[in-house]
């Protein structure tokens, strides 16, 4: 029994594992791959957005610087050095070009580096300066234009210089660009609360302030200073860096975004998807567990039913063998019994003809004949019961007297009851009608119940059998004086393989077989505890007459007396 429970338990676990491995695991794997690919797509969109942002800001800065260069070049081409070096003219020109406040000051410097005119807030600090040795001045005289890095200079504030020459290179026209206006070009490039955007030169020096207040590139970020064509993206730690070189490879624009900040929408949708997947997986797993339990339960029920049928078939075979054996023994014994009966009768007939004075023990002979005939009748009764038992092996419905069937069944256990000092009391309704049913199977139920009652009483007790009938059914009660049945046992008493007997003394099929037989016969079996102690099994059998089954009005008690 324990081995079977372990087998079904292993089978249940195996089926659940199979569901999990072959269905749930692939589902989870596909979900993981899908989420992973969606995250890659989201990061790709972030990279594309960073590239567009970097390219847009690179174009904006380049256009801004080019605009300043074009403006200065246009003015330098319009005015010769004589007019451009005139201070009142330069003052008027400054007011014209600085309507939006982009220019801090203007310089006019001759080809020898001498400052000819200046307009701006730093006149006193730079008056009389000579720029002939300044690198920016030399570059402007050679290349015709110059855009500086952001530096402190004489002003001691960050500034940016744009310088051009006139077509004849007779002077340099220089403008200091408002760094705040220049820096504002990168404000739109910030992506998320942890994002940043800045411009550095080839040495990693900030040309615009970091939006996050960073004053120096981190060690890992210095790898960004490697020159590359176009716009490049690189992931360093939790950040995505998009960079683009500008100003002929002298400046690097960097757009920095924290990946987790940019994945906010994706994370929300991912969490919702994970919740749905988890809930679906749990629901599926629960359904799989219930389905496996149901399948194994049905298999276990079928196995029990098959074992029950096998047990019944074995019992039927045993009973059939016993019936054949009983019939053979009965017939073999009947012949010598018949001979003994005949000879005893012949002696009984001859004895009266004898002379009483010649036969000294005539009375004893007559008593001996009477005893012989009595014990032959007893032996005939036994063979009579054996033949009746053997004929009940055929599973055909017939008119059965329940009282006679009970009396015959009780005779099978009388000796055992006497040996254990158990009284079997039969309170049988004398007017109990016969009914159409399967006598052998019903007798098997009676025998099982009587054996259970004997086991429950054990010693020095009483078993009471009561029969009664109404218009529709016959009721048979088996009451014993045993300890009764607990509530836990009562719930399982008709389950296959359930037994309270010691191992090896019971199969646990007796009550289950009784239940199935009564159900097949159209009746039912019920059990309850007696108020005065012990248990009561009640059988209810439908009342059917021969006429109801189309067999006429023939009535029989189950065996034929004529063979004797």
């Amino acid at each position: 029994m324990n081995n079977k429970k372990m087998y079904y338990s292993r089978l249940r676990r195996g089926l659940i594992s199979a569901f999990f491995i072959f269905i749930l695991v692939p589902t989870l794997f596909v979900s993981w791959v899908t989420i992973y690919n969606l995250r890659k797509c989201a990061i790709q969109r972030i990279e594309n957005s960073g590239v567009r942002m970097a390219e847009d800001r690179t174009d904006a800065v380049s256009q801004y610087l080019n605009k300043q260069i074009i403006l200065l070049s246009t003015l330098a081409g319009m005015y010769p050095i004589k007019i451009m070096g005139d201070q009142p003219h330069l003052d008027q020109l400054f007011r014209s070009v600085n309507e939006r406040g982009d220019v801090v000051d203007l310089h006019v410097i001759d080809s020898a580096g001498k400052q000819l005119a200046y307009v701006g807030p730093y006149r006193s600090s730079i008056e009389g300066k000579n720029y002939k040795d300044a690198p920016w001045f030399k570059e402007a005289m050679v290349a015709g234009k110059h855009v500086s890095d952001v530096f402190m200079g004489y002003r001691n504030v960050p500034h940016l210089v744009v310088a051009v020459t006139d077509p004849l290179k007779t002077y340099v026209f220089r403008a200091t660009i408002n760094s705040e206006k220049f820096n504002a070009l990168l404000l739109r490039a910030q992506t998320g609360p942890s994002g940043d955007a800045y411009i550095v030169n080839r040495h990693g020096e900030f040309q615009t302030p970091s939006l996050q207040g960073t004053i120096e590139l981190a060690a890992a970020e210095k790898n960004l200073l490697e020159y590359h064509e176009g716009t490049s993206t690189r992931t360093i730690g939790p950040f995505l860096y998009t960079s683009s070189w500008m100003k002929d490879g002298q400046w690097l624009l960097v757009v920095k975004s924290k990946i987790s900040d940019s994945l906010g929408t994706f994370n929300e949708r991912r969490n919702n998807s994970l919740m749905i997947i988890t809930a679906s997986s749990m629901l599926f797993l629960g359904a799989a567990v219930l389905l496996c339990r149901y399948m194994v339960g049905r298999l276990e029920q079928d196995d029990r039913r098959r074992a029950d049928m096998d047990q019944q078939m074995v019992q039927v075979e045993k009973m059939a063998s016993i019936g054949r054996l009983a019939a053979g023994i009965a017939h073999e014994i009947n012949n010598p019994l018949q001979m003994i009966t005949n000879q005893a009768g012949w002696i009984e007939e001859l004895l009266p003809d004898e002379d009483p004075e010649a036969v000294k023990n005539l009375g004893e002979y007559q008593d001996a004949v009477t005893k012989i005939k009595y014990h032959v009748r007893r032996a005939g009764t036994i063979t009579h019961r054996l033949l009746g038992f053997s004929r009940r092996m055929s599973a055909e419905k017939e008119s059965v007297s329940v009282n006679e069937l009970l009396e015959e069944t009780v005779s099978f256990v009388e000796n055992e009851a006497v040996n254990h000092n158990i009284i079997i009391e039969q309170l049988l309704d004398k007017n109990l009608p016969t009914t159409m049913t399967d006598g052998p199977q019903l007798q098997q139920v009676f025998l099982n119940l009587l054996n259970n009652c004997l086991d429950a009483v054990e010693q020095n007790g009483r078993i009471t059998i009561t029969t009664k009938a109404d218009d529709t059914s016959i009721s048979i009660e088996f009451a014993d004086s045993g300890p009764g049945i607990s509530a836990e046992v009562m719930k399982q008493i008709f389950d296959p393989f359930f037994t309270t007997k010691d191992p090896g003394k019971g199969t646990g099929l007796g009550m289950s077989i009784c239940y199935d037989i009564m159900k097949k016969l159209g009746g039912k079996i019920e059990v309850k505890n007696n108020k005065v102690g012990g248990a009561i099994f009640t059988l209810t059998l439908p009342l059917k007459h021969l006429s109801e089954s189309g067999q006429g009005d023939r009535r029989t008690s189950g065996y034929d007396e004529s063979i004797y």
Side-chain angles (χ1 to χ4, degrees):
M1 186 64 181
N2 290 332
N3 290 337
K4 277 191 169 293
K5 287 184 177 180
M6 292 177 62
Y7 166 74
Y8 291 125
S9 179
R10 288 196 301 269
L11 180 60
R12 191 179 297 108
R13 289 195 300 269
L15 287 175
I16 293 174
S17 299
F19 272 107
F20 182 82
I21 292 173
F22 294 108
I23 298 180
L24 196 58
V25 169
T27 301
L28 295 177
F29 177 74
V30 170
S31 301
W32 178 82
V33 170
T34 302
I35 291 176
Y36 175 79
N37 289 332
L38 290 176
R39 187 176 187 276
K40 294 289 288 185
C41 291
I43 293 177
Q44 184 64 46
R45 286 195 295 270
I46 295 171
E47 291 178 355
N48 295 337
S49 176
V51 168
R52 289 194 298 270
M53 183 67 71
E55 292 176 348
D56 178 68
R57 292 300 90 194
T58 297
D59 292 341
V61 171
S62 298
Q63 290 177 9
Y64 180 81
L65 294 177
N66 289 334
K67 178 181 177 182
Q68 304 305 321
I69 292 173
I70 292 172
L71 176 62
L72 294 181
S73 298
T74 301
L75 293 176
M78 291 174 59
Y79 301 104
I81 188 173
K82 181 178 180 180
I83 296 175
M84 190 64 76
D86 182 53
Q87 187 65 46
H89 177 268
L90 188 61
D91 291 341
Q92 183 178 2
L93 190 62
F94 178 76
R95 288 191 295 270
S96 299
V97 300
N98 198 34
E99 292 180 354
R100 297 193 304 173
D102 291 343
V103 180
V104 177
D105 56 20
L106 292 175
H107 295 248
V108 177
I109 305 168
D110 64 15
S111 58
K114 181 181 178 181
Q115 183 171 277
L116 300 179
Y118 172 82
V119 57
Y122 305 104
R123 185 187 300 271
S124 59
S125 61
I126 64 172
E127 188 174 1
K129 296 290 183 181
N130 191 294
Y131 297 97
K132 67 177 181 178
D133 295 326
W136 68 265
F137 180 78
K138 294 178 181 180
E139 181 184 346
M141 290 301 297
V142 173
K145 63 179 180 178
H146 166 75
V147 178
S148 72
D149 286 345
V150 176
F151 63 101
M152 301 296 289
Y154 300 119
R155 300 164 178 78
N156 202 30
V157 293
H159 62 282
L160 174 69
V161 171
V162 176
V164 299
T165 63
D166 66 315
L168 300 177
K169 294 187 177 181
T170 58
Y171 68 92
V172 174
F173 189 30
R174 165 179 153 163
T176 301
I177 305 301
N178 187 335
S179 59
E180 292 183 359
K181 295 288 186 179
F182 179 69
N183 297 339
L185 295 174
L186 299 184
L187 289 177
R188 291 180 54 192
Q190 184 176 14
T191 56
S194 301
D196 203 352
Y198 50 81
I199 296 175
V200 294
N201 61 17
R202 298 188 66 88
H203 304 291
E205 298 169 344
F206 280 82
Q207 302 302 298
T208 60
S210 166
L211 302 179
Q212 298 294 336
T214 306
I215 60 175
E216 185 179 0
L217 289 177
E221 294 175 337
K222 291 183 179 179
N223 294 328
L224 298 172
L225 298 176
E226 298 176 1
Y227 182 78
H228 57 79
E229 295 290 340
T231 304
S232 173
T233 58
R234 184 180 299 183
T235 301
I236 302 176
F239 292 95
L240 178 68
Y241 293 83
T242 306
S243 58
S244 176
W245 286 99
M246 56 190 301
K247 195 190 157 188
D248 298 328
Q250 297 180 26
W251 287 355
L252 179 68
L253 184 143
V254 179
V255 177
K256 175 182 177 182
S257 58
K258 193 171 185 179
I259 296 176
S260 59
D261 290 344
S262 303
L263 288 176
T265 303
F266 165 78
N267 290 336
E268 182 180 353
R269 293 178 179 177
R270 178 202 61 192
N271 293 338
N272 292 336
S273 299
L274 287 176
M275 290 178 60
I276 295 174
I277 292 172
T278 302
S280 301
S281 300
M282 294 298 294
L283 182 63
F284 179 80
L285 186 59
V289 170
L290 293 177
L291 180 60
C292 291
R293 287 182 177 275
Y294 173 76
M295 292 172 61
V296 175
R298 287 296 301 271
L299 179 62
E300 185 176 2
Q301 185 178 3
D302 291 342
D303 286 347
R304 287 180 176 178
R305 189 176 291 113
R306 188 179 300 108
D308 185 12
M309 292 295 295
D310 292 343
Q311 187 70 20
Q312 290 189 49
M313 290 301 297
V314 170
Q315 188 71 12
V316 168
E317 289 294 330
K318 287 181 179 180
M319 297 295 285
S321 298
I322 293 173
R324 288 191 293 270
L325 179 61
I329 293 174
H331 283 293
E332 290 297 327
I333 293 176
N334 273 339
N335 290 332
L337 287 179
Q338 186 66 41
M339 180 62 68
I340 294 171
T341 301
N342 292 338
Q343 294 302 318
W346 174 249
I347 292 172
E348 187 179 24
E349 291 178 2
L350 292 177
L351 283 176
D353 297 335
E354 297 294 329
D355 184 2
E357 294 179 359
V359 182
K360 295 181 179 180
N361 300 312
L362 180 61
E364 293 182 11
Y365 294 154
Q366 290 177 335
D367 289 341
V369 170
T370 301
K371 290 179 180 180
I372 290 172
K373 295 179 69 175
Y374 169 73
H375 287 290
V376 167
R377 283 196 299 272
R378 283 193 60 194
T381 301
I382 294 172
T383 58
H384 173 84
R385 290 175 179 174
L386 286 174
L387 285 173
F389 179 78
S390 67
R391 282 193 299 275
R392 281 178 166 78
M393 294 306 100
S394 60
E396 297 179 358
K397 287 191 175 182
E398 57 187 351
S399 181
V400 174
S401 171
V402 173
N403 285 348
E404 292 182 5
L405 200 61
L406 280 169
E407 291 173 350
E408 182 176 329
T409 308
V410 169
S411 70
F412 295 155
V413 298
E414 276 182 336
N415 289 337
E416 183 180 355
V418 171
N419 292 336
H420 292 84
N421 197 25
I422 298 174
I423 299 173
I424 300 179
E425 183 181 12
Q426 300 184 60
L427 304 178
L428 308 181
D429 184 357
K430 295 181 180 181
N431 298 320
L432 195 72
T434 59
T435 184
M436 288 298 297
T437 188
D438 190 332
Q441 293 200 50
L442 186 60
Q443 189 173 47
Q444 184 177 354
V445 175
F446 294 163
L447 190 57
N448 282 346
L449 292 179
L450 277 172
N451 286 328
N452 277 0
C453 290
L454 290 171
D455 290 339
V457 175
E458 293 185 349
Q459 198 80 22
N460 303 322
R462 177 182 294 271
I463 299 173
T464 304
I465 304 174
T466 306
T467 61
K468 55 185 177 180
D470 56 24
D471 294 336
T472 59
S473 63
I474 296 175
S475 176
I476 308 103
E477 286 186 358
F478 292 80
D480 63 66
S481 60
I485 304 173
S486 66
E488 292 76 11
V489 174
M490 193 86 72
K491 295 177 182 178
Q492 307 177 68
I493 193 167
F494 296 116
D495 291 346
F497 305 106
F498 176 78
T499 180
T500 58
K501 298 179 181 178
D502 295 334
K505 293 186 177 181
T507 63
L509 290 172
M511 288 296 97
S512 174
I513 291 174
C514 290
Y515 181 86
D516 287 342
I517 290 175
M518 292 305 298
K519 187 175 180 181
K520 291 175 183 177
L521 297 180
K524 61 181 179 178
I525 179 171
E526 297 173 313
V527 60
K528 64 180 179 179
N529 284 322
N530 199 342
K531 294 180 180 179
V532 296
I536 300 177
F537 286 87
T538 304
L539 304 177
T540 304
L541 199 64
L543 188 58
K544 295 182 179 180
H545 299 291
L546 291 175
S547 57
E548 296 179 25
S549 58
Q551 298 185 31
D553 294 327
R554 181 176 59 86
R555 296 171 182 258
T556 176
S557 61
Y559 49 83
D560 187 0
E561 298 282 355
S562 62
I563 66 172
Y564 298 103

